[in-house]
Amino acid sequence: MATLLHIDSSVSPDGVSVSRAVTDAFRTAWEEQHPDGTVVYRDLTAHPVPHITADAHTAGFAAPDTHTPGQAEAFAARVKLIEEVENADAILIGAPMYNLSVPSTLKAWLDNVVLVGRTAMTEDTKTKGTPVTVVASRGGSYAPGTPREGFEYVQNYLEAVLGEMLALDVEFIVPELTMAPHNPAMSDLIPLFEASRSKALDDAAARAKEVTERLAA
């Protein structure tokens, strides 16, 4: 039975958020391929995880029998998040760009699941090679060749953390110009936004099927 770990971090609700619409398209296609599978869902806006604390951090590098009560409690919550990543056959992340970076809730989740020696920076990590699909929506365009290309910090950051540190197999789906319907100054770009959104929805469904075929091989 295949398990999908689905993470959303947009502050916008369903019906408004583009990243949520695209992750939903992936998840729908995934569930069609895995009717008996399991989806572990975390909405980091509705239920944010704790930011990393000194207890949660230091406990990761100390023997469990030496943990203080505070370390034990904080680390138990962190281990639950780590185990969700380790037990996933595939991971899906909605990561809209906020002020040139990822939402703080997503950063908090990453800080919890990145543990050097267990999930990160080790050849023995259980996460190695797990396919992760990131829906990196953004209000404008930061594509190569555009004037704001140098301000693209979402994909660069997530490729480094997910791909390099956690050794996941990362694929990005990037719907752009999501602010066009809401910003009068961008109204001329609405057709480009709609085309980008439509392509992202199609790419999400296709990616879900591709990951399914890969896992079955």
Side-chain angles (χ1 to χ4, degrees), residues 119-120 122 125 127-130 161-170:
T119 61
T122 174
T125 175
T127 64
K128 186 172 184 178
T130 300
V161 175
L162 299 173
E164 297 298 324
M165 296 186 73
L166 296 180
L168 301 169
D169 184 5
V170 186

Side-chain angles (χ1 to χ4, degrees), residues 22 34 46 85 123 125 140 142 155 167 176:
V22 177
H34 301 89
V85 173
E123 288 297 318
T125 175
Y142 298 78
Q155 286 178 259
E176 294 192 315

Side-chain angles (χ1 to χ4, degrees), residues 131-177:
V132 55
T133 304
V134 179
V135 179
S137 58
R138 48 209 193 186
S141 180
Y142 298 78
T146 63
R148 297 184 69 79
E149 175 185 359
F151 294 94
E152 202 303 293
Y153 301 115
V154 171
Q155 286 178 259
N156 291 341
Y157 167 67
L158 291 178
E159 177 62 48
V161 175
L162 299 173
E164 297 298 324
M165 296 186 73
L166 296 180
L168 301 169
D169 184 5
V170 186
E171 182 79 18
F172 289 95
I173 297 174
V174 188
E176 294 192 315
L177 305 170

Side-chain angles (χ1 to χ4, degrees), residues 156-217:
N156 291 341
Y157 167 67
L158 291 178
E159 177 62 48
V161 175
L162 299 173
E164 297 298 324
M165 296 186 73
L166 296 180
L168 301 169
D169 184 5
V170 186
E171 182 79 18
F172 289 95
I173 297 174
V174 188
E176 294 192 315
L177 305 170
T178 63
M179 285 300 296
H182 311 288
N183 184 349
M186 298 175 66
S187 59
D188 290 346
L189 300 174
I190 289 177
L192 291 177
F193 155 70
E194 291 175 342
S196 179
R197 183 180 187 275
S198 178
K199 182 178 185 300
L201 292 169
D202 290 343
D203 288 348
R207 170 67 174 171
K209 294 175 182 177
E210 173 194 328
V211 172
T212 295
E213 293 171 358
R214 170 178 160 180
L215 295 176

